[in-house]
Amino acid sequence: MEKLSFFLFLLIVGNFLLVVTCYPNGQVTPSCINMIPDHGVSAQTTLAPYNITASKNTYSPGEKITVTLQGSDPFEGFLLQARRAGGTAAVGTFTVTDTANSQGLDCNGPNSAVSHKSSTGLTKIQATWVAPSSSTGDLEFRATFVKSKTTFWVQVKSSQVTFNTTAPASSSSSFNPNIMLHLPLILFVSGILMCYR
């Protein structure tokens, strides 16, 4: 009877550990901060065969950017975030565009990250990032790509996306300050014209 109890104990603990360490459904919120999957092995240190591209290299508050994850080898899982350059917290929100293969996660607010929904191999996936209403400074998109349970790359970075500090030109004002430079000439010509009337 003791052997059977011990076997049942090992079976239950083994199943619990399997549930804790594997996330084929993409619910990887425990990995939000360090972006490291809990697969029991270390991440690859070689150059990743995957990349992240953003549709724009500058952004303004509230602006949308399409983010593409892709590679020549299929990846079974991923975790995508936008972070302030050098930062550790996810910023902005994502709109999931491929609901069959990806889902939003709450890493620092609702839909602040995107991950896989299943372990179906993908070579490309996109999501739309929406910038916060206030500046977060320059940022980069980061992703963890999982090729298999024992082969994955952590915090692969996109090129830096720069916060646009240039204020858009206002079209509501019709006053041109340069006219003040020409005011004496305008008054002189107006005076001459008045004299010859």
Side-chain angles (χ1 to χ4, degrees), residues 101-181:
N101 293 305
S102 59
Q103 62 191 330
L105 289 180
D106 185 343
C107 281
N108 191 26
N111 296 318
S112 56
V114 180
S115 74
H116 57 285
K117 270 183 131 171
S118 70
S119 58
T120 302
L122 303 169
T123 55
K124 180 179 179 181
I125 195 152
Q126 292 182 319
T128 302
W129 180 75
V130 182
S133 58
S134 60
S135 167
T136 56
D138 297 345
L139 61 90
E140 57 204 8
F141 295 98
R142 296 186 195 176
T144 291
F145 292 92
V146 177
K147 182 176 180 178
S148 68
K149 183 174 180 189
T150 59
T151 307
F152 54 90
W153 289 263
V154 174
Q155 294 197 31
V156 176
K157 296 177 184 179
S158 71
S159 296
Q160 197 169 76
V161 179
T162 307
F163 178 70
N164 187 0
T165 57
T166 307
S170 173
S171 59
S172 63
S173 172
S174 60
F175 175 72
N176 183 350
N178 291 332
I179 196 134
M180 296 304 285
L181 298 173

Side-chain angles (χ1 to χ4, degrees), residues 51-70:
N51 60 58
I52 309 167
T53 55
S55 61
K56 299 176 183 175
N57 58 7
T58 63
Y59 78 98
S60 299
E63 192 166 6
K64 294 180 179 182
I65 295 178
T66 300
V67 182
T68 305
L69 306 180
Q70 60 188 4

